[in-house]
Amino acid sequence: MTEFWESSFKDKQAMWGLDPADSVFAVAEFFKKKELKEVLIPGYGYGRNAKVFSDLGLNVTGIEISETAIQLAKDHYGDQINVFHGSVSEMPFDDKKYDGIFCYALIHLLNEEERRQLIQDCYDQLAPEGYMVFTAISSSSPNYGQGEELSKDRFKTSHGVNLFFYDSETVQAAFLDYGLVDAEEVTEPGEIVEGKPYQVFWKIVCRKEEEIDGNR
């Protein structure tokens, strides 16, 4: 995984452009409305989405597997955001509790055990009464079923990327025990233009209840 993303960022640089994903703005505004202060972004990339949160005055910490992506973020946005270099499978990188965690288009790249572990690790670093939001590709997306089928709802694309496509049942199964409060499908980009590609994602919102005697 490290080699794949390092090679991708070296070759394609800012491959998704410098504008944030459309769906990020609503999440950042939601965090701001909830008066969240400390935000963790696993799968930081080159910082295009993180900037939306920092521009609203939230303190952002990132986790990114590619050194090249981290350097790209510094080149484009400066080095004011602390980014841990490493895989999300190595979480936690610090003992801090974050009141907001945002994980954009990452979880569906992982296998079943890795997906389960990422949710658990994020939940473990979430402060009581904090929120974590995941965006995960939906089986309603037009690219569902394309490529080599690896297992149910999981396909290997022509670019060598493995994608697990969520539906409402798999969202419920994966997140219900982690404070699931909302799940809705959103398009990326937000406005679909005829003839241009788009994808459908689940925006999954979880809230951690106040802990009692160290238990959730």
Side-chain angles (χ1 to χ4, degrees), residues 168 171-172 175 180-185 201-205:
S168 59
V171 168
Q172 287 283 328
F175 292 93
L180 179 66
V181 294
D182 188 40
E184 63 173 329
E185 288 183 305
F201 289 91
W202 283 99
K203 184 175 75 173
I204 303 156
V205 182

Side-chain angles (χ1 to χ4, degrees), residues 13-25 44-53 55 76-77 102 104 188-190:
Q13 297 288 291
M15 65 184 85
W16 300 294
L18 296 179
D19 292 332
D22 289 350
S23 58
V24 175
F25 292 95
Y44 178 82
Y46 50 86
R48 69 181 182 123
N49 293 327
K51 188 175 185 299
V52 181
F53 295 89
D55 284 350
H76 290 297
Y77 307 115
F102 179 57
Y104 179 83
E188 195 66 65

